[in-house]
Amino acid sequence: MRRGKNRLGFALYEVLLGLTIFVVGVLGLGRAVENCLNANALSEEENRVGLVLANRMAELQASPGRPDATKEMNVDTGFGVVKLIQKTVPEELQENDNTIVSGISRVILNAEWSRDGTKQNKQLVFYVYRAG
C-alpha cells in the first residue's frame, strides 16, 4: 500500500516538471514572435523611408527646371513624420579630353526621423542634368 502512494507522488513531480518546461518553452516562443514582429515593423519603416527618398528623386528628375538649392519638407509615412532635407550643389565634370560638362547638379536627399526617441537618418545622392 505504501508503494502506491510513493508512485503517485512521483507522478505529480513529473507533471509539475513537464508543465514548467512547457511554460518556459511557451514564454521563449512568445519572445521570439515578439522579436519577429518588431523586426518586421522596423523593416517596413525603412522601406517607407526608402520610398519617400525614391519618390522625391523621381520628382526632381522629371521636373523641367533645376532643383532648388535647399528645401525641407515633412512627410507622414504612417510610422511617423520624416523630415526630408534636399541640398543641391552644381557640379562641373571634366571629360577625358578636358572638356568641361556643365549643367549637372548633385542632389543630396537626407531623411531624418525618430524611432523610440533615437534619431535615424538615411541619405540618397544622385545627379540631375539640365542643359542650358
Side-chain angles (χ1 to χ4, degrees):
M1 188 130 22
R2 183 144 170 92
R3 197 164 190 215
K5 284 184 180 181
N6 286 341
R7 182 70 184 147
L8 191 67
F10 185 67
L12 180 62
Y13 284 131
E14 286 177 341
V15 168
L16 288 176
L17 180 63
L19 188 59
T20 303
I21 291 171
F22 176 75
V23 167
V24 168
V26 167
L27 290 175
L29 182 62
R31 183 71 173 182
V33 168
E34 179 185 6
N35 287 341
C36 287
L37 291 174
N38 287 340
N40 190 27
L42 294 176
S43 176
E44 182 63 28
E45 180 182 1
E46 290 279 333
N47 288 340
R48 287 198 185 179
V49 170
L51 282 174
V52 167
L53 290 170
N55 286 342
R56 183 65 185 152
M57 179 179 73
E59 287 174 13
L60 292 173
Q61 289 176 335
S63 65
R66 288 184 179 255
D68 296 330
T70 59
K71 187 172 186 176
E72 290 187 15
M73 63 187 77
N74 292 326
V75 179
D76 188 9
T77 63
F79 286 97
V81 176
V82 174
K83 183 178 183 181
L84 190 61
I85 303 166
Q86 171 187 324
K87 293 183 182 177
T88 304
V89 180
E91 294 275 330
E92 287 191 355
L93 301 179
Q94 190 170 1
E95 293 282 343
N96 291 338
D97 63 355
N98 293 331
T99 304
I100 294 178
V101 180
S102 60
I104 298 175
S105 299
R106 182 176 52 158
V107 180
I108 303 165
L109 294 177
N110 282 313
E112 297 177 352
W113 71 99
S114 181
R115 178 189 305 145
D116 296 331
T118 305
K119 296 260 184 197
Q120 304 290 320
N121 66 354
K122 196 170 188 177
Q123 186 179 70
L124 178 65
V125 179
F126 60 97
Y127 293 92
V128 174
Y129 174 70
R130 298 291 181 258

